[in-house]
Amino acid sequence: MAVRRAAFRIAGLLPQRSDWTAVRRNPRRDLLAGLTVAVVALPLALAFGVSSGLGAGAGLVTAVVAGAVAAVFGGSNLQVSGPTGAMTVVLVPVVASFGPAGVLMVGAMAGVILLVLALARLGRYVRYLPTPVIEGFTAGIAVVIALQQVPAALGVADAHGTKVWAVAADAVMRFIADPAPTPVLTALGVAAAMLVGGRWRPQLPWSLIAVAVATVLAAVLHFDVARIGALPAGLPAPSLDFLDPHAFVRLMPSALAVAALAALESLLCATVADAMSVDQHHDPDRELFGQGLANLVTPIFGGIPATAAIARTAVNVRAGAGSRLAALTHAAVLAGIILVAAPLVAGIPLAALAGVLLATTVRMVEASALLALARSTRGDALVLALTFAVTVAVDLVAAVVVGLGAAVVLALRAVARTARLEQVPLDTTDHSDEEHRLLTEHIVAYRLDGPLFFAAAHHFLIELSDVADVRVVILRMSRVTTVDATGAHVLGDAIARLRRRGITVLLSGIARHHDQVLTALGVADELPRFPDTPAAIAHARVHLQRLTGATSDRG
């Protein structure tokens, strides 16, 4: 049975017949969309390859291989995958510590992790990520990518530092000592052309136009700028030489970071693509499966870890794509460029690619969304600022952990504040004067509202323990929404303190599943339970009459 269930789950992650039904609807439109995306993706793939430390060729290989594999096996008809800026942020330290082979092995390990996540059906849980964490994370990545481009934009080749901001600062100091204006003007010119041209004629591929113009000017005017250099005329031969079992443990933290980032960025990108389209809905688990296969296969051809790219996916949707054929066409066009136009690509100035990424970082950040979050609540502003700061100062994984931790603590604090312990009046209808006196002088009813869990339990302990001048306490629990182990134990502790003072405690209206928690933990087993408060009041009245009678007899 378990084998059959596992086989059924794997079959659900593989390409479906319905995936290709959409291809037959309008293949011409998909082909044109794929061509458009390839034009936009070319300079980005080159730039991210250079920024990762493995070179422009690795970026192109990633766009081709990962783009094709993810298009076939992914969970979205509109996604376009390849190298991304966020991924390069994680890879730069890996290159510095373990070299190119370490990056390839990290990619393969991340692919396996993503496949496990897909089989465990964990893709759906990304929807629970708080918006301030996502926005702070994105803004922080944009700043990190921009800092990574500072050395190339300044024409400094030997900047050093342990963190990206330290490398950027070192590059600035070296530039001040020996300024070279040409790379700076090239980078700023390309970035300005993309930003201004994108507003003026957004339908044109300004990144490719700007890079082409910069390349021609550098060749004609003999600019003294660093260039990409020779690229392989074709995909590298598949190889597993990068595998090193001895480095497995040391590379695992980086692999987990890459897998987490690939899952996060791909699923967020798929959500954005669904929102931009009319009738498209992605499968989050299949998307993880497709990204896992892509990252497992790409290192074999020398490519860097990949994920879905929001910029390229958005271009794909706006170009009218409706099926996976568009993403496959994008990969095929880039493969053709590798085979045919590699010598032309080799002459592109590195400063021009830095300009492409600088413009990309500006587009990544929506200032209005950040300001709106910062003004919404102090909690959201705190989570946003923490996530942003840790992303820039430490690393991406730590940023997500810190941001989520802060968001959870603030959410628990807000939920705990909704929990109340309120004294409520008793119904004294149809009672004699003597009974009324007993009720008002010796019986107190408290209504517990909201969750009784670890974040709110201490509040109940203090209030219940302060009850004085009563003989019977009725705890009305019909409005309790949640009971956890901590809340149950604290409730039991408060009840024990009351009983040691000779106060009788009764429970009314407790839900069956909440009572099961108390019973399982051995809390208040001996206390009487009543279905409603009137029954508890009747029991308390009889109990007090017995106590009064016993006292009179002794007198």
Side-chain angles (χ1 to χ4, degrees), residues 57 181 290 354 369 380 399 402 525:
D380 286 340
V402 170
D525 286 340

Side-chain angles (χ1 to χ4, degrees), residues 471-472 502 504 506 538-548:
R471 304 284 289 277
V472 179
T504 300
L506 310 176
H539 179 87
R541 187 171 67 245
V542 172
H543 175 71
L544 285 180
Q545 288 174 341
R546 288 174 181 171
L547 290 178
T548 304

Side-chain angles (χ1 to χ4, degrees), residues 89-111:
V89 174
V90 180
L91 298 180
V92 169
V94 178
V95 175
S97 301
F98 302 99
V103 172
L104 301 182
M105 188 165 174
V106 162
M109 292 168 61

Side-chain angles (χ1 to χ4, degrees), residues 9-23:
R9 181 174 296 182
I10 293 173
L13 297 173
L14 296 175
Q16 308 294 316
R17 181 179 298 177
S18 58
D19 297 341
W20 305 107
T21 302
V23 174

Side-chain angles (χ1 to χ4, degrees), residues 202-220:
Q203 68 274 17
L204 296 178
W206 286 104
S207 59
L208 185 63
I209 293 172
V211 169
V213 170
T215 303
V216 171
L217 289 176
V220 173

